[in-house]
Amino acid sequence: MLSNVIIMMCTLGLQLRHCSADLCNWTGSGFAAGVDSRIVLQVRLRCTEGSVRWVYPGQALRVVLEPNLSTDRRTTVCIKPSPSFRGASVFIERAGELKLLVTEGGRPGRQVYCFRADGPHRPVLYLQSSPQTDGAWSRHTMGFRYELLGNRSAAPNVGHRGLQTSCRPCNDTELLMAICNSDFVVRGHIKNVSHDSERQTSLLEVSAVRVYWQRSGVFEQQAAAPESPRSGHIHTLLQCQVKPGDGEFLFTGSEHFGEAWLGCAPRYKDFLSVYKTAWVARRNSCDFPLD
C-alpha cells in the first residue's frame, strides 16, 4: 500500500532531502526522487496560507506547515488541490501514522479538504505519487493551496469536507463579533440565488450598497467610474436553503481560497437595532460606521 511505502521511508531512515522555499510557497521538481526512489523531498512552510507546486512529481513529498501559532494550538488545516492534481494521493501524518485525506480519484480544483491539527505537533502532509509505467508522471504538475484557520469564529461556516457547519441565525453576541472579525462586511441586496447539488452549496449574487471592508477583491465595481456599484458572490451551504429576499442585508463572513463564505447576514435594520442597543450599554467589541 502507498501509506506503507511512505512509512518505511521514514522509519528506515532513508534519504530525506530538504528543499528550499519562501515563507509561504514552494515550487520544485521531483527529478531527484525520480532517479532515486529512496529520496523523500521535504518542504517547510511558515505562513498561514500559500501554495505547493510539484513539477515532474517523483516518489514522495513531505510538507511541514509550521507558522507561528503558539497562541492557538487548535488549528484547522484546509487544502484545495489544483485542477491538474492527478496521479497522486495526500496523507495526513499523525503520531508517525498516515491517514488518507485526498485520493487520486477525487475532484481536483473543486473540493476542499479540511482536518483538525490539535496539540503541539505541526501539521504534516505527504504527497505520494502513483507508480507510472509509461513515463506519464513526468508530464504532470500537481499541487495545492493551503490555509490554516486557527480558532477563527468563521471557520465552522466554510461548508467544505471536514468542517462542522451550522445554518442557524446568529445571536446578538455573534453578530457584534462578526462585524469586528469577518473577512468582509458588506451591505447590499440579494439579486439571485443559484444552487449546486454536486458541491452541496448555494451561491448568492449580491449587489453591494456599501463595502465596509473586505480582505481581498471579492466585491468588484461593475464599471470604471468610482461611484459605480459593486457586486460579488457569496457561498453558503445548500442545506441552509437560502432564498432571495427583499430589502437590505448586512453580509459578513470569511474568505477561503478566493471565495467568500457566508457568516452572519441579518437585515440591515435589525443589525442597526442590535448595534445601537449594545452601544448604549457599552457592549460593542468595535466601532462600526453608521450612516
Side-chain angles (χ1 to χ4, degrees):
M1 296 178 61
L2 293 178
S3 58
N4 292 334
V5 172
I6 304 176
I7 292 173
M8 287 179 62
M9 287 180 179
C10 299
T11 58
L12 294 180
L14 299 182
Q15 186 173 356
L16 190 66
R17 177 168 295 182
H18 295 268
C19 308
S20 61
D22 64 20
L23 293 179
C24 304
N25 310 299
W26 177 80
T27 297
S29 170
F31 267 132
V35 173
D36 187 346
S37 61
R38 297 173 300 173
I39 293 178
V40 179
L41 302 180
Q42 177 165 273
V43 177
R44 294 183 180 273
L45 300 174
R46 303 182 184 277
C47 291
T48 56
E49 60 182 84
S51 64
V52 171
R53 184 170 178 263
W54 196 16
V55 184
Y56 310 120
Q59 179 69 15
L61 176 68
R62 186 174 189 260
V63 181
V64 183
L65 305 176
E66 48 182 9
N68 183 13
L69 295 176
S70 58
T71 58
D72 187 357
R73 289 189 175 184
R74 295 182 57 84
T75 302
T76 297
V77 180
C78 293
I79 70 169
K80 185 174 184 179
S82 62
S84 62
F85 192 99
R86 58 185 179 275
S89 298
V90 180
F91 297 84
I92 309 165
E93 177 189 321
R94 283 198 175 116
E97 298 183 355
L98 299 178
K99 179 181 178 182
L100 182 64
L101 178 66
V102 183
T103 180
E104 182 181 349
R107 304 188 68 85
R110 292 179 60 85
Q111 183 66 57
V112 172
Y113 301 82
C114 302
F115 64 94
R116 300 293 299 183
D118 301 335
H121 300 292
R122 298 305 188 188
V124 177
L125 296 168
Y126 269 100
L127 275 73
Q128 173 68 57
S129 62
S130 303
Q132 298 288 341
T133 59
D134 58 357
W137 64 271
S138 64
R139 297 191 295 270
H140 287 173
T141 298
M142 59 186 62
F144 58 85
R145 296 167 63 187
Y146 69 89
E147 289 186 359
L148 284 78
L149 305 183
N151 265 343
R152 294 169 57 183
S153 59
N157 297 321
V158 176
H160 292 312
R161 181 178 299 178
L163 288 181
Q164 299 296 320
T165 57
S166 174
C167 295
R168 66 172 178 80
C170 296
N171 58 37
D172 292 353
T173 301
E174 292 168 334
L175 175 56
L176 293 172
M177 290 299 296
I179 62 172
C180 304
N181 299 331
S182 292
D183 290 337
F184 64 88
V185 179
V186 175
R187 193 172 99 223
H189 306 272
I190 300 176
K191 295 178 60 177
N192 186 41
V193 178
S194 57
H195 306 288
D196 187 334
S197 58
E198 182 180 0
R199 295 186 69 187
Q200 288 294 296
T201 59
S202 297
L203 187 65
L204 285 68
E205 182 181 356
V206 173
S207 175
V209 174
R210 181 172 179 182
V211 177
Y212 295 95
W213 54 80
Q214 59 178 329
R215 185 158 65 95
S216 60
V218 173
F219 294 88
E220 299 178 338
Q221 289 182 318
Q222 298 175 340
E227 67 277 5
S228 63
R230 297 190 181 192
S231 64
H233 294 85
I234 304 175
H235 298 258
T236 189
L237 299 183
L238 183 63
Q239 69 190 48
C240 295
Q241 299 180 347
V242 175
K243 299 178 181 179
D246 297 329
E248 285 188 350
F249 293 83
L250 188 69
F251 300 99
T252 69
S254 55
E255 295 180 21
H256 304 282
F257 304 106
E259 296 179 341
W261 285 86
L262 189 64
C264 301
R267 291 187 179 275
Y268 183 65
K269 61 180 180 63
D270 296 333
F271 160 74
L272 286 179
S273 176
V274 171
Y275 182 83
K276 290 177 179 179
T277 300
W279 185 82
V280 172
R282 297 183 179 180
R283 291 188 289 106
N284 288 332
S285 299
C286 62
D287 293 329
F288 187 84
L290 299 180
D291 293 340

